[in-house]
C-alpha cells in the first residue's frame, strides 16, 4: 500500500514488436537459467493415489477443454471418407508390423498365471480403495419413463439417417451358398479342434488344497450313500406274479437242483457207458 502511494501517475506506452521480441528472449533466458539450477532428483514410485489424482486431472482437463469448444457444423460421413479411414488403418497396421522385430515365444507357466491373477486382484483392491462412499438412489417411475423416451428418441434418430433399401428375394441359390458356408465353417472348426484339443489332456497341479477337497468329496459321497441305503433298507418292491413268471421261476429252480445234485453229470456218465457197451456188442 505504501509503495503504491509513492507511485505517481505514468504515461502508458504502446507495446511494439521490439518489446514483444525482448519479452520472449527474457522468457527463454529465464527458462534456460531455471533448468541449469535444477540438481539431481530422486525418482518416486507411482502409487495408486498418484494414479487416481492423475486420472482426475485428465477428466477435469477434458471437461474444461469441452467447455471452451465452440459450436461446430457436423459433416456427414460419406463412403469416400470411410474408404480413406480404412486405408489409413491398414497403412498404420502395415507400418507397425514392419517395425516389429523377431521375438522368441515363452510358454505360460503356472507361476506366471499365479502372478497375473495376483496382479489383477491387487489392481481390483487398489481401485476399490480409491472409490468414495456413494448414496444409492431408487429408480422411480419418472426415471423409467425418461429412460424409455431416450431409447425411443435414439432409435428414431438412428432410423432417420438410414437410407431406403431394396429387399432381395431369398433364392434357392442363396440358400445353397448359405448351407455350403455353414458346412465349411463346421469342417474348419472340427479340423482345428482335432489338431489343438482332441487327444490332449489338461494337466492340473495336485496341490494339498485339491487333495483336501477331493477327500472331502469322497466323505460326503460315502455319507450320502449310507444315508440312502439306511432309508431304503427293509423296504421291497412288490412284483405281480403271472403264469410266465411262475414258469421261468420253476425252470430256474430245476436247473439249480440239477446243478446242485449232480444229476446232469450222472446222466452224461450213464450215456457214455451205454455208448461203450453198444460198441463192445458190435465188435464182439
Amino acid at each position: 500500500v505504501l509503495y503504491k502511494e509513492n507511485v505517481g501517475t505514468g504515461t502508458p506506452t504502446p507495446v511494439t514488436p521490439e518489446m514483444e521480441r525482448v519479452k520472449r528472449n527474457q522468457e527463454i533466458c529465464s527458462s534456460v537459467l531455471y533448468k541449469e539450477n535444477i540438481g539431481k532428483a530422486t525418482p518416486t514410485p507411482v502409487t495408486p493415489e498418484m494414479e487416481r489424482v492423475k486420472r482426475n486431472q485428465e477428466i477435469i482437463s477434458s471437461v474444461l477443454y469441452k467447455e471452451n469448444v465452440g459450436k461446430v457444423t457436423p459433416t456427414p460421413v460419406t463412403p469416400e471418407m470411410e474408404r480413406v479411414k480404412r486405408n489409413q488403418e491398414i497403412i498404420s497396421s502395415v507400418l507397425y508390423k514392419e517395425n516389429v522385430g523377431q521375438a522368441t515365444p515363452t510358454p505360460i507357466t503356472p507361476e506366471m498365471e499365479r502372478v497375473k491373477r495376483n496382479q489383477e486382484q491387487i489392481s481390483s483392491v487398489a481401485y476399490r480403495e480409491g472409490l468414495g462412499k456413494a448414496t444409492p438412489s431408487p429408480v422411480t417411475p419418472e426415471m423409467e419413463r425418461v429412460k424409455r423416451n431416450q431409447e425411443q428418441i435414439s432409435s428414431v434418430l438412428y432410423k432417420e439417417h438410414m437410407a431406403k433399401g431394396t429387399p432381395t428375394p431369398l433364392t434357392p441359390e442363396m440358400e445353397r451358398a448359405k448351407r455350403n458356408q455353414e458346412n465349411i465353417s463346421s469342417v474348419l472348426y472340427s479340423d482345428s479342434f482335432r489338431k489343438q484339443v482332441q487327444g490332449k489332456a489338461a494337466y492340473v497341479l495336485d496341490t494339498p488344497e485339491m487333495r483336501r477337497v477331493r477327500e472331502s468329496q469322497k466323505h460326503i459321497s460315502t455319507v450320502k450313500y449310507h444315508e440312502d441305503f439306511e432309508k431304503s433298507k427293509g423296504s421291497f418292491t412288490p412284483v405281480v406274479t403271472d403264469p410266465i413268471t411262475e414258469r421261468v421261476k420253476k425252470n430256474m429252480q430245476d436247473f439249480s437242483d440239477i446243478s446242485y445234485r449232480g444229476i446232469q453229470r450222472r446222466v452224461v456218465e450213464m450215456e457214455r457207458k451205454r455208448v461203450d457197451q453198444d460198441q463192445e456188442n458190435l465188435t464182439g
Side-chain angles (χ1 to χ4, degrees):
V1 175
L2 294 175
Y3 171 74
K4 292 182 180 179
E5 288 180 355
N6 296 327
V7 175
T9 59
T11 303
T13 57
V15 179
T16 60
E18 182 64 20
M19 294 173 66
E20 288 286 343
R21 185 181 64 79
V22 173
K23 185 178 178 180
R24 283 196 300 274
N25 292 339
Q26 288 293 331
E27 291 176 355
I28 295 170
C29 293
S30 299
S31 176
V32 172
L33 293 175
Y34 173 75
K35 292 181 180 179
E36 288 179 355
N37 295 328
I38 294 177
K40 295 182 179 180
T42 304
T44 57
V46 180
T47 60
E49 181 66 18
M50 295 173 67
E51 288 286 340
R52 185 181 64 80
V53 172
K54 184 178 178 181
R55 285 197 300 271
N56 292 340
Q57 289 293 332
E58 291 176 355
I59 294 171
I60 294 170
S61 300
S62 176
V63 172
L64 294 176
Y65 172 75
K66 291 180 180 179
E67 289 180 355
N68 295 327
V69 175
K71 295 181 179 179
V72 297
T73 303
T75 58
V77 179
T78 60
E80 182 65 20
M81 294 172 66
E82 288 286 341
R83 186 182 63 80
V84 172
K85 184 178 178 181
R86 284 196 299 273
N87 291 340
Q88 288 295 329
E89 292 175 354
I90 295 170
I91 293 170
S92 300
S93 176
V94 172
L95 293 176
Y96 172 75
K97 292 180 179 179
E98 287 179 355
N99 296 327
V100 176
Q102 295 181 353
T104 304
T106 57
I108 298 176
T109 61
E111 181 67 18
M112 293 172 67
E113 289 287 342
R114 185 182 64 80
V115 172
K116 184 178 179 182
R117 285 196 300 271
N118 291 340
Q119 288 294 330
E120 292 176 355
Q121 293 172 0
I122 293 170
S123 300
S124 177
V125 172
Y127 171 74
R128 293 180 182 176
E129 288 179 354
L131 294 175
K133 296 182 178 179
T135 304
S137 58
V139 179
T140 60
E142 182 65 19
M143 294 172 67
E144 289 287 341
R145 185 183 63 81
V146 172
K147 184 179 178 181
R148 284 196 301 272
N149 290 341
Q150 288 294 331
E151 292 176 355
Q152 293 172 0
I153 292 170
S154 300
S155 177
V156 171
L157 293 176
Y158 173 74
K159 292 180 179 179
E160 285 180 355
H161 295 297
M162 294 178 66
K164 294 182 179 179
T166 304
T168 58
L170 191 59
T171 60
E173 182 65 21
M174 294 172 66
E175 288 285 344
R176 186 183 62 79
K178 184 179 178 181
R179 283 197 301 273
N180 291 341
Q181 288 295 327
E182 292 176 355
N183 295 333
I184 293 169
S185 300
S186 177
V187 170
L188 293 177
Y189 173 76
S190 300
D191 290 342
S192 62
F193 174 78
R194 283 193 294 270
K195 292 178 182 178
Q196 298 177 7
V197 180
Q198 192 175 12
K200 296 182 181 179
Y203 296 96
V204 181
L205 296 178
D206 191 9
T207 59
E209 181 66 18
M210 293 181 67
R211 287 195 291 270
R212 184 184 65 79
V213 172
R214 189 164 58 246
E215 290 294 331
S216 300
Q217 289 293 331
K218 288 181 181 178
H219 294 325
I220 293 170
S221 300
T222 305
V223 171
K224 182 67 176 174
Y225 172 76
H226 283 292
E227 182 180 353
D228 295 339
F229 175 75
E230 292 295 333
K231 287 181 181 179
S232 61
K233 187 170 65 174
S235 61
F236 61 92
T237 303
V239 180
V240 179
T241 304
D242 54 356
I244 297 176
T245 305
E246 288 290 339
R247 183 176 60 80
V248 173
K249 184 177 179 183
K250 189 170 182 277
N251 292 336
M252 294 301 295
Q253 189 171 359
D254 294 340
F255 288 138
S256 299
D257 291 341
I258 291 171
S259 298
Y260 177 72
R261 296 175 184 176
I263 296 173
Q264 183 70 22
R265 186 172 61 254
R266 282 182 288 178
V267 170
V268 173
E269 290 177 356
M270 292 173 64
E271 183 68 22
R272 187 170 58 250
K273 289 180 180 179
R274 187 181 63 80
V275 172
D276 292 340
Q277 290 178 0
D278 292 341
Q279 291 291 335
E280 290 177 357
N281 293 330
L282 290 175
T283 57

